[in-house]
Amino acid sequence: MSEARPARVVVTRPAEQAGPWIEQLRARGIDALPLPLIAIVPVADPAALVAAWQSLPHRRLVVFVSANAVRHFFAARPADSAWPASLLAAAPGAGTARALRDAGIAAAALIAPAVDAARFDSESLWERLGERDWADARVLVVRGGGGRDWLAERLTEAGAAVDRVDAYARAVPTLDAAGQARLEGLAQAADVVWLFSSAQAVAHLEQAAGRGRWGGASAVATHPRIAARARQAGFGRVFEADAGLDAVVACIQSIGP
């Protein structure tokens, strides 16, 4: 494939996560710019999070679906609560695992996909979790605004009692006049690659800019489900890449004119 690089790559991650990605992509020679298409907001009522913290001494495992789930869950920790030393924490990817270590979770208590895993997602995490006996274990899944239940279903099938709690909510970001103008300009540009790490970001793009405008545009998606959603939205070319920086950069650099 051509070695030509796209002129611009639009990072659609939430604002809290877009910054590091922009810096790392630019350090690799890629002209990246942020356009967050998901806003991460606290849940309206933290009572369920407080109750979840109080339940931790009776659990064997807590699964965090994302780094945002980690940050918002620990931000809601009551002053009289602590993470039990014997409690395991599970992460589907490197970013979530890093957030757990930053929150003080010991490496011995952390379960995550192998560093050389083909993908970093629920399926890869289950390959590690499925090696253990979860019969009669009480498990908590910390997520944001609902989400995919595949991993919770596997744990239930393995005999675990699984509860779920929303640590944050996802919302459509509010664009000011300048942001809307930037979006319109990008929607009309032929030299842009859209980088999606969430199918919801694709849906929000359609809400903000309309449907049927993406036939001449390219997208890089970090999971097959996200790629399928981008194709559904009408993106003319959709490429799949693993979620890690190296894989994303290699995919972007392989896209020709």
Side-chain angles (χ1 to χ4, degrees), residues 44-128:
D45 184 357
L49 285 173
V50 172
W53 270 99
Q54 293 170 340
S55 76
L56 294 188
H58 309 290
R59 297 190 184 276
R60 190 186 305 172
L61 171 71
V62 181
V63 179
F64 293 88
V65 303
S66 67
N68 282 319
V70 175
R71 285 189 281 267
H72 284 265
F73 186 76
F74 278 84
R77 177 170 55 185
D80 59 350
S81 295
W83 184 272
S86 61
L87 181 60
L88 298 171
T96 308
R98 188 180 310 113
L100 284 167
R101 289 192 295 270
D102 291 345
I105 302 302
L110 182 57
I111 304 173
V115 293
D116 59 350
R119 291 205 308 266
F120 295 93
D121 54 15
S122 295
E123 287 80 356
S124 294
L125 177 56
W126 177 243
E127 290 181 8
R128 301 297 302 274

Side-chain angles (χ1 to χ4, degrees), residues 5 19-34:
R5 298 179 183 180
W21 271 88
I22 295 293
E23 293 178 5
Q24 293 177 94
L25 289 172
R26 288 177 178 172
R28 301 290 188 94
I30 294 172
D31 183 7
L33 64 155

Side-chain angles (χ1 to χ4, degrees), residues 129-151:
L129 292 173
E131 299 169 351
R132 299 173 181 243
D133 179 10
W134 299 108
D136 300 321
R138 291 190 61 189
V139 175
L140 177 67
V141 176
V142 183
R143 59 188 186 173
R148 191 178 179 219
D149 261 345
W150 186 89
L151 187 57

Side-chain angles (χ1 to χ4, degrees), residues 7-256:
R8 289 173 291 176
V9 173
V10 183
V11 178
T12 62
R13 288 172 175 265
E16 299 89 341
Q17 300 167 9
W21 271 88
I22 295 293
E23 293 178 5
Q24 293 177 94
L25 289 172
R26 288 177 178 172
R28 301 290 188 94
I30 294 172
D31 183 7
L33 64 155
L35 187 68
L37 291 175
I38 296 178
I40 302 298
V41 298
V43 292
D45 184 357
L49 285 173
V50 172
W53 270 99
Q54 293 170 340
S55 76
L56 294 188
H58 309 290
R59 297 190 184 276
R60 190 186 305 172
L61 171 71
V62 181
V63 179
F64 293 88
V65 303
S66 67
N68 282 319
V70 175
R71 285 189 281 267
H72 284 265
F73 186 76
F74 278 84
R77 177 170 55 185
D80 59 350
S81 295
W83 184 272
S86 61
L87 181 60
L88 298 171
T96 308
R98 188 180 310 113
L100 284 167
R101 289 192 295 270
D102 291 345
I105 302 302
L110 182 57
I111 304 173
V115 293
D116 59 350
R119 291 205 308 266
F120 295 93
D121 54 15
S122 295
E123 287 80 356
S124 294
L125 177 56
W126 177 243
E127 290 181 8
R128 301 297 302 274
L129 292 173
E131 299 169 351
R132 299 173 181 243
D133 179 10
W134 299 108
D136 300 321
R138 291 190 61 189
V139 175
L140 177 67
V141 176
V142 183
R143 59 188 186 173
R148 191 178 179 219
D149 261 345
W150 186 89
L151 187 57
E153 292 168 357
R154 302 291 81 72
L155 284 161
T156 300
E157 291 170 356
V162 182
D163 298 307
R164 302 157 180 84
V165 66
D166 288 337
Y168 63 94
R170 301 182 185 90
V172 180
T174 301
L175 298 176
D176 57 17
Q180 191 64 44
R182 186 184 315 116
L183 174 57
E184 285 297 319
L186 292 169
Q188 297 174 27
D191 62 347
V192 166
V193 170
W194 296 79
L195 175 57
F196 293 113
S197 58
S198 166
Q200 196 165 22
V202 183
H204 289 177
L205 178 63
E206 289 186 298
Q207 288 181 248
R211 297 177 61 90
R213 305 184 64 179
W214 315 107
S218 298
V220 170
T222 59
H223 192 279
R225 287 184 294 104
I226 304 171
R229 184 63 182 86
R231 294 187 183 100
Q232 180 186 355
F235 276 85
R237 298 193 299 171
V238 179
F239 304 86
E240 296 180 23
D242 293 340
L245 177 66
D246 289 343
V248 169
V249 168
C251 183
I252 291 169
Q253 292 177 338
S254 74
I255 299 174

